[in-house]
């Protein structure tokens, strides 16, 4: 099977002024496409090596699958958890769990922002299926610092390609503006699904 890049769920200029049309075009069409291509290429290498029983470059291909599949999955999440109608706070089950596990929405947001300011990759809100609780994690690249059993609920891409053209080195301003385009309907549905799968 090969993986394909879905279109953005909104127009390229839909998140302006928070994220510019130019950044979304580069980010989606070039960077995200690169991960999809990288994943497909690595899967092909693995399949060829299994066929030929020559595993000399399989370890590299395995690492490439991890890197590129994680990049693809997290970018999909990132696009889906934003929308021009965003900017509200979570409701329902997810809101209750955020309050239970972090104390308040504000405490969650402060901690998530800290992860976003430190990560060399992503800030993620994950549902930790091992300990049955929500956690913020700071991920380098697309996978380093991930937690086993952590099911991603909300993603913020803090690679420089995500914000530098619009914000320069002011990553904190980007993260602040990110919350104005977070559409919690998608993370809420994702959380409900994760809980039902793992409880
Ligand atoms: Fe990215």
């Amino acid at each position: 099977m090969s993986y394909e890049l879905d279109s953005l769920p909104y127009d390229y200029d839909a998140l302006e002024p928070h994220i510019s049309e130019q950044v979304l075009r580069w980010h989606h069409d070039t960077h995200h496409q690169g991960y999809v291509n990288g994943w497909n290429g690595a899967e092909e290498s693995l399949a060829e090596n299994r066929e030929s029983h020559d595993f000399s470059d399989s370890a590299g291909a395995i690492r490439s699958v991890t890197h590129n599949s994680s990049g693809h999955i997290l970018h999909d999440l990132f696009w889906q958890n934003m929308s021009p109608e965003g900017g509200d706070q979570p409701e329902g089950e997810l809101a209750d769990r955020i309050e239970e596990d972090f104390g308040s929405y504000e405490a969650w947001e402060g901690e998530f922002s800290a992860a976003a300011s430190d990560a060399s990759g992503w800030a993620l809100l994950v549902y930790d299926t091992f300990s049955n609780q929500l956690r913020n994690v700071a991920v380098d690249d697309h996978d380093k610092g991930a937690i086993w059993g952590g099911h991603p609920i909300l993603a913020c891409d803090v690679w420089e390609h995500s914000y530098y053209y619009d914000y320069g080195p002011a990553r904190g301003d980007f993260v602040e503006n990110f919350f104005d385009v977070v559409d919690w309907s998608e993370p809420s549905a994702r959380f409900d699904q994760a809980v039902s799968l793992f409880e």
Side-chain angles (χ1 to χ4, degrees):
M1 99 182 252
S2 75
Y3 299 92
E4 287 181 7
L5 178 63
D6 288 336
S7 304
L8 285 177
Y10 32 73
D11 292 337
Y12 288 99
D13 63 357
L15 302 181
E16 288 196 339
H18 306 86
I19 300 176
S20 68
E21 175 180 355
Q22 180 63 79
V23 164
L24 272 197
R25 283 191 186 280
W26 282 329
H27 199 167
H28 176 268
D29 296 0
T30 304
H31 294 278
H32 188 172
Q33 182 72 61
Y35 299 122
V36 174
N37 296 346
W39 189 3
N40 286 327
E43 293 282 16
E44 277 169 32
S45 298
L46 287 177
E48 283 165 18
N49 297 352
R50 289 166 190 153
E51 193 76 26
S52 66
H53 288 209
D54 173 3
F55 301 105
S56 51
D57 65 2
S58 289
I62 286 169
R63 289 185 188 280
S64 181
V65 167
T66 305
H67 175 77
N68 286 292
S69 68
S70 300
H72 175 42
I73 290 163
L74 291 180
H75 280 94
D76 260 354
L77 207 72
F78 183 51
W79 307 138
Q80 288 165 23
N81 64 216
M82 298 187 290
S83 96
E85 283 82 44
D88 293 335
Q89 292 191 8
E91 293 174 358
E93 298 283 315
L94 180 55
D96 294 345
R97 282 300 288 268
I98 284 175
E99 202 148 312
E100 203 175 304
D101 292 343
F102 296 96
S104 65
Y105 171 83
E106 289 71 25
W108 166 77
E109 191 186 275
E111 190 182 287
F112 187 88
S113 300
S117 73
D118 187 66
S120 298
W122 296 83
L124 302 176
L125 170 65
V126 305
Y127 173 58
D128 172 356
T129 58
F130 184 80
S131 53
N132 184 22
Q133 73 171 87
L134 291 168
R135 290 185 190 283
N136 288 320
V137 292
V139 170
D140 297 335
D141 290 343
H142 301 304
D143 56 324
K144 298 176 183 73
I147 188 166
W148 299 119
H151 188 80
I153 302 293
L154 176 79
C156 179
D157 186 343
V158 292
W159 283 57
E160 288 186 354
H161 66 224
S162 187
Y163 67 89
Y164 217 89
Y165 181 81
D166 289 337
Y167 293 90
R171 188 196 291 193
D173 292 348
F174 163 68
V175 174
E176 220 169 280
N177 278 310
F178 166 74
F179 293 114
D180 288 337
V181 288
V182 169
D183 185 334
W184 284 97
S185 59
E186 173 70 23
S188 295
R190 205 174 281 278
F191 173 69
D192 292 346
Q193 190 192 25
V195 168
S196 72
L197 282 173
F198 293 106
E199 255 181 0

